[in-house]
Amino acid sequence: MIVRPVLCKPFVGRRAELAYLRERRLEAGASRGGLVFVAGDAGLGKTRLISEFCRSLAYSRWRITSGPCREFGGRPYGPILDALANIDPSARLAPAESKRQYFEAVVDRFAQFAARKALVVVIEDVHWADAATLDLLAYFGSRLHNMRVLVLASFRPDDLHAGHPAAAGIENVGRSARAGRIDLAPLAGLELRTFIDQALSGFTLGDDARRSIALTGEGNPFFTEELLKNAVQEIAERRGRAGAGSARVPHGVRSTLLERLRPLDDDERRIVTQAAAIGRTFSLELLESVTDIASERLLPALRRARDFQLIEELEPSVFRFRHGLTREAICGDFLGAELRPLHRRIALSLEMAGERTVEALAYHWWAAGDDDRSAHYNVLAGDAARAVYAHEDAIAFYQRALEAKDLDALTRGSILEQIANVRLVLSMAEEGLATYSAAADAYRVAGASEREAVCRVRAAMTDYTMRLNDTSAPLERMLERLDASDYLPRARLHLGIAWIAAALRFPTRAKAHLAQVDARAETGATDVAVRYHNVAACVATDLADLDSFRREHVAWLEAARVHGSGAIAGAYYNGAKFFASFALHDEARENIRQALHAAHESKSVHAEECAHATAALCYVLSGDLQALRSALDAVPTTTDNRVNVTFARAAGTAAATYLDDDALIETWFDGFDDPLESVTEIECGYGFAELLVRRGRQADAQALLHRVLPDCELVRGQVMTLLSIARHGAKADRARAREYLVRAAAMGDSLERPALAFFDAICCAAVEPGRARLLAAEAAEGFRRLRTPLLEADAREIAGDVEGALSLYRRCGAAFHVRRLEHLAKPAVADGVELTALSSREREIVALAAGGQSNLEIARSLSISHKTVEKHLGAAFQKLGVSSRRELRNYVR
């Protein structure tokens, strides 16, 4: 019996979709590249549409490359790396220091090729993509705007149910400005009838059967084609049920696909089933090894499967199931216990192969139920994923390893610790904390006290960064049960408590725990020595003990050099922050220079980013606004490091208040999604409060300052926020802030001494202007001696030396205060209409506000954002010296 294939060869419909793809191709050819999602339920023709479009380029100068996403066993970034390898087989990516650097290298390779020849990159089945691939695809999409590259990515939206791991990633990719989307709809009407007619060319099928199949297939080309195949085959087998075929076929695709196995005999089915267990794509060599059947016997079965359109031959000896659903249906029709032996044979065959894929081994040993090998290979796969910054995939592999039933406590603790480390990199603080705690519990069972101490300390430090409160109780409890001879884990615990105490600004408590660290621990573990001198330097800084700080900083650097290059940059950039708090700006700048050099030498993008973020804070105090702007340019807003984001937001917003720079405000103040109520770091206090007040949000500024003011022993190095509390804080907060200045000023010659005088000047300016001027003049002299020009200018203004303040602001480039002081002596009102001190937009908004419109109404009237109205209205309040709309109405008549 000969049965010709039932297949719709002509391309039917989709004209608008093809036209759109051709339009995007023309844009890409003009170096305006882009990404187009082709979305549609299984079988709607995503692959066929893309193939038809690519076929139209067969005689053009365009190069086409592709990389399919694999349902399992795929390596991180595999589809994109496969597409790159297809166009540049010799491409070798050097090890990268960060995820961003790795992404840059991959995208640059595509860009280099596209500079010579325009490129279409096809990524199929993105719903199976791992998180790492989606991250890279999102980054690729953001870089396409000036490249001759068109990326086509297909996915099934029906697979993206709530909680699907790829859902958020696909949404993120789609946010790119150059991203488009085609949503394929089922065929209907004339198109569906034409499709059925073309598929049945040469076959006879009654009208009732055609209508039934059209209804059952619901316009899905793949389903419809499969149902037609079934009906035609029934006729060929002379079963006389041509019209009833559709009735026998269930509505689900799985049953339809399994029906396609019926013409195969038992041996052929067994071979196809084993091929399906390998994956959608499989090689003849691996199938031969798994089945222990010679290729001469396999090929006839594969030829039969191809003839019945279950599989297709991609290249000699490499096959692929024609649709992913085919493989899913075959595997899904078997019990897990039935498939386990298959997966075991596949895994054994992979192990014997010359080139092993650790991800595939991890999957197949897991599916085979072999706990020991599953744990082994999934840990290896997790480590490999971490090495290329595929963090979500690493967690998935490690979690598979944890499913092994008889893991010993030490191994379980080690895997949990790795998961916790990765979760922290992903800013999953809550999950990281819980996993560190679980790892510590496992280590306790194993009797591994030092590893337990490491995890307890990391958990406590993570908990602190989330809640900014004392999280040392678990460390204290572990100390109580450790024997005195366990000096190394005890040292780690004391250092963890000391670090938390120092971070909470309780230097006396931190100092007491430092004294409990056994000297042997410093020589026995280099990381212990680094942390010891790090915390000691911090304590010396808080206690304003410059000599002790200098000694500890030197020891810190020495310990860092012994420990490894990664710690050296940290000792320098953290040292810079401490030097700046002593107003030793030249030494702070030199430490920044050394930090950047160390980061460059170690090729650490992370350390370089940290150095720039810290430098930005240092430049606020020294008044170097231009250097501050340059440092901010080097800190990405998308960084995973919360500390760097905090420092950059604090410095960037502070700089914006002086420079009156809308771009800086948009980037570092308005550009984050987290609510204002989540800001709790004191570093952000000054700039955030200043902008809120300028926008007329005094109550929000006061609440923010209350939130960021810590309850601690003393505060050092945060004079700008403490002075902001003097201006805008609540009465109780002003009292607490002043007490901190009193304590710090009593410890030595530092910024806190002139800041205390200036604090009092601000507080008494309204009721005792004469005393305020004297105190401000005293503060200005102290700030001058400590070379903090922005603070000096602020103090000189209250002291009555407006010209001196103006000169300093001009020298620093503080445009906002320059304009404000230049207009101070000449209020600008002309018949209540023209306010020359204001910009045209500010005058427009002031007029509407004075007329009684709310901010939201003004935004709607002018077609601008609510935040823009706030910003301009706040600036107008400052320039006109008013603090409410009532005053504004009295001023503008």
Side-chain angles (χ1 to χ4, degrees), residues 699-778:
D700 288 337
Q702 190 175 95
L704 172 89
L705 291 170
H706 173 77
R707 198 165 54 250
V708 303
L709 184 63
D711 185 6
C712 60
E713 185 179 348
L714 59 85
V715 174
R716 283 260 297 118
Q718 300 295 334
V719 296
M720 298 190 77
T721 293
L722 296 178
L723 292 172
S724 185
I725 291 172
R727 281 194 170 91
H728 311 301
K731 182 178 179 181
D733 291 333
R734 289 200 302 273
R736 288 174 60 211
R738 187 180 188 280
E739 179 58 28
Y740 288 144
L741 285 173
V742 169
R743 293 180 199 173
M747 290 181 175
D749 186 20
S750 61
L751 275 173
E752 281 74 18
R753 281 190 175 178
L756 176 59
F758 192 31
F759 190 99
D760 290 341
I762 294 170
C763 290
C764 72
V767 293
E768 297 180 82
R771 179 168 177 261
R773 284 193 292 273
L774 290 174
L775 288 168
E778 176 190 340

Side-chain angles (χ1 to χ4, degrees), residues 576-592:
K577 184 161 66 80
F578 295 148
F579 275 116
S581 73
F582 284 106
L584 298 171
H585 306 300
D586 292 339
E587 289 174 87
R589 190 179 291 267
E590 173 60 17
N591 271 261
I592 291 297

Side-chain angles (χ1 to χ4, degrees), residues 374-533:
S374 173
H376 172 71
Y377 282 113
N378 275 291
V379 168
L380 290 179
D383 293 343
R386 282 187 68 191
V388 292
Y389 314 102
H391 301 305
E392 293 90 345
D393 299 301
I395 290 174
F397 285 124
Y398 289 139
Q399 286 178 328
R400 267 192 197 160
L402 284 176
E403 292 180 22
K405 298 180 180 64
D406 297 321
L407 280 180
D408 61 88
L410 187 62
T411 302
R412 182 171 293 278
S414 175
I415 296 171
L416 286 167
E417 184 179 355
Q418 295 301 327
I419 293 174
N421 291 338
V422 176
R423 282 175 168 166
L424 280 199
V425 171
L426 294 172
S427 299
M428 299 168 66
E430 289 278 5
E431 296 87 345
L433 167 61
T435 314
Y436 274 132
S437 298
D441 291 341
Y443 282 135
R444 182 179 181 182
V445 171
S449 57
E450 186 184 349
R451 294 315 306 167
E452 180 190 353
V454 168
C455 290
R456 297 277 182 220
V457 169
R458 287 177 180 168
M461 292 169 68
T462 302
D463 201 5
Y464 165 78
T465 59
M466 289 163 48
R467 307 180 220 289
L468 300 183
N469 55 19
D470 191 353
T471 58
S472 61
L475 309 186
E476 298 276 12
R477 288 195 295 270
M478 185 175 176
L479 270 174
E480 290 174 2
R481 59 181 167 82
L482 278 181
D483 189 88
S485 62
D486 291 325
Y487 67 88
L488 187 52
R490 288 182 68 86
R492 293 188 183 281
L493 294 167
H494 280 299
L495 282 173
I497 297 169
W499 185 92
I500 292 168
L504 289 168
R505 295 180 170 85
F506 287 95
T508 303
R509 182 184 176 213
K511 191 173 183 179
H513 278 279
L514 285 176
Q516 297 296 313
V517 175
D518 192 305
R520 290 176 294 175
E522 290 187 59
T523 57
T526 57
D527 64 312
V528 169
V530 172
R531 180 162 292 165
Y532 178 91
H533 294 294

Side-chain angles (χ1 to χ4, degrees), residues 20-34:
Y20 175 70
L21 290 177
R22 288 165 182 155
E23 177 184 330
R24 294 302 300 268
R25 175 182 65 82
L26 292 174
E27 291 178 3
S31 296
R32 298 195 306 277

Side-chain angles (χ1 to χ4, degrees), residues 33 87 126 200 373 377 407 521 745 801 860:
I87 58 172
V126 177
L200 288 173
R373 285 167 165 153
Y377 282 113
L407 280 180
D801 183 8
R860 289 171 178 164

